[in-house]
Amino acid sequence: MHALHSTAQVAVIGAGAMGAGIAQVAAQAGHPVKLYDNRPGAAAQAVAGIDRQLQRLVEKGKLQPADREAISARLQPVDAIEALADAQLVIEAIVENLQIKQALLRQLESLCAPACILASNTSSLSITSLAAGLQRPQQVVGMHFFNPAPLMALVEVVSGLATPPEIATTLYETAKAWGKQPVHARSTPGFIVNRVARPFYAESLRLLQEGAADCATLDALLRDAGGFRMGAFELTDLIGHDVNYAVTCSVFDAFHGDFRFQPSLVQKELVDAGRLGRKSGQGFYCYADGAECPQALALHSQAKVDGCVVEGQLGVMQPLITRLRDRGLSVTERAGTGLIRVGEATLALSDGRMASQRAREDGLRNLVLVDLALDYQAASRIAISWSADTTGEALDQAVALLRQAGLNVSGLTDLPGLVVLRTVAMLANEAADAVLQGVASAGDIDLAMCAGVNYPQGPLAWAEQMGVGYTLRVLENLQRSYGESRYRPSLMLRRSVAQGARLHD
């Protein structure tokens, strides 16, 4: 199947920010576009707003004046839905309400030609449910853009139970022709991004609730060690807690209360208080004029160390050795089980156990656990926790080693999995379950998380980089620590380890 021809008439219903953005994308790709909204004058206002945005691109030298005129000429606001009868593709971007969307699709089915594709920009509603009751349910497909549509690359092409492959392929190729990065997804709660991303918020919210550290420190670790654009608290403040909490509740309910998606009481309290984030002036952080931005906490040390001993392979933390040597520290390597010795301290990469538990089970004194980093040579911050019997002198020596390597060191209470490690492991686990259940391919899931929410690496690729066996072990240890189904490892991970297969095979 091929993309729709650039001369095909496209209609967009809903002239809000998302609908206007989709209309702009289609017009920039060469399509004649009709924009309709049931609010009088809304479509014309949206087209005028698009024209202003195009003019700003001209002023920045990113668009030629003639191209701006051509794009604007292809945009037509209409006041009656009947004007959309000649459309070959209709994309609805109206209120996220199943009954309202179903009524609109029934109206469009009676108005448009039988071959017209009816696409929904829904972010969470079932495409199968939207198509139910229509005479031609096979014409309904999801085309989920991300906000702002002209800038965000990802489009989830979502197939319902009745959607034939050729319709999904046509929209996939059309999105690609529009300069987007499309992915195929099956209509399940949250599709790809809104499902797989839940642990990113959930783990930070749980760590905060359990007193691991303050918001600023947890956010800084996800940014400075994990490589994420924003931490969970600043991101939910930006999204709006009413929106983010509602999506979590929707996914939780759709999965019949699966504990993996349980909403956070901490976030519910913010919503109940009207502290919705940036748009209300207060969320996890205060956005009032003159408000101080809280700083991440860091540990300091008066100790001086010249080097360390590395016993065995450190796994994903191995690049830290290069960083230590580059900073002039001596590193002696010998056989062992993957530990760093400095003074009285023993450092190890976390495996999902609490430091005190691991120290007791493995017979390690003065144990300091180190969190995961995306790139141990480039990270500017790292999290540590330590066992109850670790002396102040040993902790000082461990902190000194990491600080002399150029890392800010943030201390956490003794909780399993630290911050970046448990977040990435849970993201990979949810992504693996989505592959197992046929929601999308491993490649499309990784692409969706990078293009849709700017993750530094796809969660499945990240799990392979860490080692699937190690990722599985972290999850098993988290599950044992909490005794909850929330951390149950996906069968996909277990199968991959058992078969020695890659997740992307």
Side-chain angles (χ1 to χ4, degrees):
M1 298 295 293
H2 301 288
L4 291 173
H5 195 275
S6 61
T7 60
Q9 178 71 59
V10 173
V12 178
I13 301 177
M18 182 59 78
I22 296 170
Q24 179 180 334
V25 169
Q28 285 178 314
H31 292 271
V33 179
K34 292 179 179 179
L35 181 60
Y36 168 73
D37 195 292
N38 61 5
R39 297 169 297 161
Q45 290 177 4
V47 169
I50 295 170
D51 188 61
R52 288 192 296 271
Q53 291 184 36
L54 296 173
Q55 178 58 33
R56 283 194 285 272
L57 294 177
V58 171
E59 293 167 356
K60 293 178 181 179
K62 296 181 178 181
L63 187 68
Q64 294 298 315
D67 292 333
R68 173 219 166 191
E69 292 178 7
I71 294 168
S72 294
R74 288 194 287 269
L75 286 162
Q76 179 187 356
V78 297
D79 296 325
I81 195 170
E82 288 75 17
L84 311 182
D86 61 344
Q88 293 171 256
L89 167 65
V90 180
I91 305 172
E92 68 81 11
I94 64 171
V95 63
E96 197 77 344
N97 179 285
L98 179 64
Q99 288 72 35
I100 295 174
K101 287 182 184 288
Q102 285 177 324
L104 173 63
L105 290 172
R106 285 194 295 270
Q107 187 177 8
L108 290 170
E109 185 179 50
S110 65
L111 178 69
C112 300
C116 178
I117 300 174
L118 304 178
S120 173
N121 184 56
T122 180
S123 61
S124 60
L125 297 177
S126 164
I127 299 302
T128 298
S129 296
L130 287 173
L134 295 182
Q135 294 180 1
R136 296 187 296 276
Q138 71 275 10
Q139 296 302 113
V140 179
V141 66
M143 198 174 190
H144 180 212
F145 290 78
F146 287 72
N147 196 28
L151 299 180
M152 296 298 289
L154 182 67
V155 175
E156 292 178 319
V157 177
V158 186
S159 295
L161 200 58
T163 308
E166 54 267 25
I167 293 289
T169 300
T170 294
L171 280 197
Y172 182 96
E173 294 299 330
T174 298
K176 189 184 294 186
W178 291 2
K180 298 301 181 182
Q181 291 182 298
V183 292
H184 283 293
R186 187 167 59 84
S187 183
T188 57
F191 310 145
I192 298 174
V193 172
N194 278 330
R195 172 183 177 167
V196 175
R198 294 346 294 165
F200 181 78
Y201 314 110
E203 291 310 307
S204 283
L205 285 162
R206 183 158 201 173
L207 285 165
L208 180 67
Q209 187 172 17
E210 295 176 350
D214 61 279
C215 292
T217 301
L218 294 171
D219 275 350
L221 287 164
L222 286 173
R223 289 194 315 268
D224 302 343
F228 293 94
R229 294 278 185 90
M230 303 177 79
F233 303 115
E234 53 192 342
L235 180 54
T236 50
D237 269 5
L238 177 64
I239 294 169
H241 291 287
D242 52 341
V243 174
N244 186 260
Y245 181 72
V247 172
T248 301
C249 290
S250 173
V251 174
F252 179 66
D253 292 342
F255 276 100
H256 305 294
D258 190 325
F259 194 56
R260 286 180 303 167
F261 306 106
Q262 185 182 46
S264 167
L265 293 175
V266 172
Q267 191 173 38
K268 181 181 185 300
E269 190 173 32
L270 288 180
V271 174
D272 290 344
R275 297 186 176 188
L276 306 181
R278 287 181 180 268
K279 61 187 175 184
S280 71
Q282 177 74 55
F284 285 112
Y285 302 107
C286 179
Y287 299 95
D289 291 342
E292 291 187 12
C293 180
Q295 299 301 305
L297 299 178
L299 298 173
H300 299 278
S301 172
Q302 301 300 318
K304 300 294 181 183
V305 297
D306 298 322
C308 62
V309 176
V310 175
E311 299 179 350
Q313 293 296 307
L314 303 181
V316 72
M317 198 168 68
Q318 192 74 15
L320 182 60
I321 297 175
T322 302
R323 181 168 184 154
L324 292 168
R325 285 178 169 148
D326 288 345
R327 293 281 178 150
L329 292 157
S330 68
V331 178
T332 301
E333 297 186 66
R334 64 191 185 202
T337 57
L339 303 172
I340 299 176
R341 310 278 190 180
V342 54
E344 298 297 315
T346 301
L347 284 77
L349 176 66
S350 173
D351 66 357
R353 287 180 287 176
M354 290 180 289
S356 297
Q357 176 190 1
R358 184 167 173 182
R360 184 183 66 253
E361 292 177 350
D362 294 0
L364 298 171
R365 293 186 63 252
N366 293 321
L367 178 62
V368 176
L369 294 182
V370 181
D371 199 4
L372 177 68
L374 174 68
D375 183 346
Y376 283 94
Q377 294 193 59
S380 60
R381 182 179 299 273
I382 199 74
I384 63 169
S385 64
W386 52 93
S387 61
D389 67 352
T390 298
T391 66
E393 180 183 10
L395 178 60
D396 224 27
Q397 291 164 339
V399 172
L401 179 72
L402 295 171
R403 284 186 61 83
Q404 287 177 232
L407 287 160
N408 290 306
V409 183
S410 293
L412 306 177
T413 56
D414 189 10
L415 287 165
L418 300 174
V419 179
V420 179
L421 177 59
R422 69 192 284 168
T423 300
V424 171
M426 286 294 284
L427 289 170
N429 195 45
E430 196 54 50
D433 236 26
V435 174
L436 179 71
Q437 295 166 11
V439 175
S441 68
D444 273 1
I445 289 173
D446 275 356
L447 172 59
M449 302 315 292
C450 292
V453 280
N454 293 312
Y455 283 7
Q457 189 167 209
L460 294 172
W462 209 335
E464 289 182 332
Q465 178 183 312
M466 294 190 298
V468 181
Y470 169 65
T471 304
L472 175 61
R473 187 164 69 252
V474 168
L475 290 163
E476 289 174 334
N477 285 332
L478 283 167
Q479 186 180 26
R480 276 194 289 268
S481 292
Y482 283 103
E484 298 172 359
S485 61
R486 173 190 183 112
Y487 296 102
R488 67 184 185 272
S490 170
L491 178 63
M492 182 76 181
L493 295 178
R494 296 189 185 279
R495 180 187 296 163
S496 176
V497 172
Q499 296 179 348
R502 296 178 67 251
L503 296 172
H504 284 84
D505 286 348

